[in-house]
Amino acid sequence: MLLENRGRNLYYDVQGKGEKTLLFVHGWMGSSSVWREQVSYFSKNYRVVTFDLTGFGLSDKPDDIDYTPDVWFEDIDAIISHLNIDKPILIGWSMGGAIGIGYTVTRPAVLSKLVLVSTTPMLVAPNEVFEYALPPEVGEQISSALQSDFSEGARSLVDKMFPEPESDSLKTFVHSITQQTTASIAIDSVINAGSADLRPLLNQIKIPCLILHGEADEVCAIGTAQYLFKTLPDAKIDTFKEKGHCPFLTDAQAFNEALASFIWA
């Protein structure tokens, strides 16, 4: 389904019914399709809402805007307003989790709970600034690779997302999703969102939070999850042994069970 928001079309989907609404937000170069294992599981008991952020998936990709978190905050506002959602639980993966942090702080009365999946409060920074961030030279390498050959650059990034053996089919699936955006949008997004320092915002989040993180994550190191757990005022944490950046795909059963427990808590 398409929702017109500020002259742009936003793709969204709603499955299931229930008293609680789960709002899933995908990550950088992702789309709502990454949540396929969660939609089928949680729509049996809940209203499950997925959507594609502006610039990604099946949503519009205007070339006359700056891809900043404010654009994606407005996407979430539009979805919540259009579907008349009251106090959703927001589940954000990677950049989607970072968006969730900013959204919760700027709109403190909207959400009931926040789930941060494979999320870091600062993606790129020198070690002396944030020891768990990617070094600036790695960020530059990723951007250069995307500019040089977008498909191959995205493939290299996807390879880092899946350190698990026998994950080739998932790599192919996620790589196909990355190709729904453009190199310019991807780079603009990561420059604006990846360099942001969200650490000062964390103690302002008063709603319950759950941190879900793969212990073998090569994109957002496990140390970021431990940092979030220690810094957020009301947080729980579950980690997944030998899993990388996408535990919701590579360990879907354990992931869904951990999320379900938090929803009911």
Side-chain angles (χ1 to χ4, degrees), residues 219-239:
V219 179
C220 298
I222 185 63
T224 63
Q226 295 160 346
Y227 178 89
L228 290 169
F229 177 59
K230 294 176 182 178
T231 308
L232 288 163
D234 184 0
K236 297 180 179 180
I237 186 171
D238 273 292
T239 61

Side-chain angles (χ1 to χ4, degrees), residues 109-174:
V110 174
L111 305 178
S112 61
K113 294 181 179 181
L114 176 64
V115 181
L116 303 175
V117 183
S118 308
T119 297
T120 176
M122 196 174 193
L123 179 62
V124 178
N127 182 263
E128 62 270 20
V129 174
F130 186 51
E131 62 181 309
Y132 306 117
L134 294 175
E137 55 269 25
V138 173
E140 292 172 3
Q141 290 169 4
I142 293 172
S143 294
S144 296
L146 293 173
Q147 286 178 319
S148 176
D149 186 327
F150 182 59
S151 178
E152 286 305 309
R155 194 180 305 278
S156 295
L157 179 63
V158 170
D159 284 343
K160 289 180 67 67
M161 292 182 184
F162 292 96
E164 300 90 341
E166 301 181 359
S167 57
D168 286 351
S169 63
L170 288 175
K171 290 179 182 179
T172 299
F173 168 62
V174 173

Side-chain angles (χ1 to χ4, degrees), residues 33-150:
S33 299
V34 301
W35 300 115
R36 61 186 186 182
E37 301 293 340
Q38 287 64 55
V39 172
S40 61
Y41 183 90
F42 287 102
S43 60
K44 299 172 185 176
N45 297 299
Y46 303 103
R47 188 187 192 195
V48 176
V49 178
T50 58
F51 72 100
D52 293 344
L53 295 163
T54 295
F56 302 96
L58 299 179
S59 290
D60 280 356
K61 303 166 183 67
D63 56 10
D64 59 347
I65 66 171
D66 291 325
Y67 284 87
T68 67
D70 286 339
V71 170
W72 302 314
F73 295 167
E74 291 171 359
D75 289 348
I76 298 173
D77 286 340
I79 292 291
I80 289 175
S81 175
H82 179 68
L83 296 176
N84 193 29
I85 304 173
D86 182 44
K87 293 288 187 178
I89 298 172
L90 190 151
I91 302 99
W93 166 50
S94 196
M95 187 181 81
I99 292 168
I101 291 171
Y103 190 84
T104 304
V105 171
T106 57
R107 294 145 173 86
V110 174
L111 305 178
S112 61
K113 294 181 179 181
L114 176 64
V115 181
L116 303 175
V117 183
S118 308
T119 297
T120 176
M122 196 174 193
L123 179 62
V124 178
N127 182 263
E128 62 270 20
V129 174
F130 186 51
E131 62 181 309
Y132 306 117
L134 294 175
E137 55 269 25
V138 173
E140 292 172 3
Q141 290 169 4
I142 293 172
S143 294
S144 296
L146 293 173
Q147 286 178 319
S148 176
D149 186 327
F150 182 59

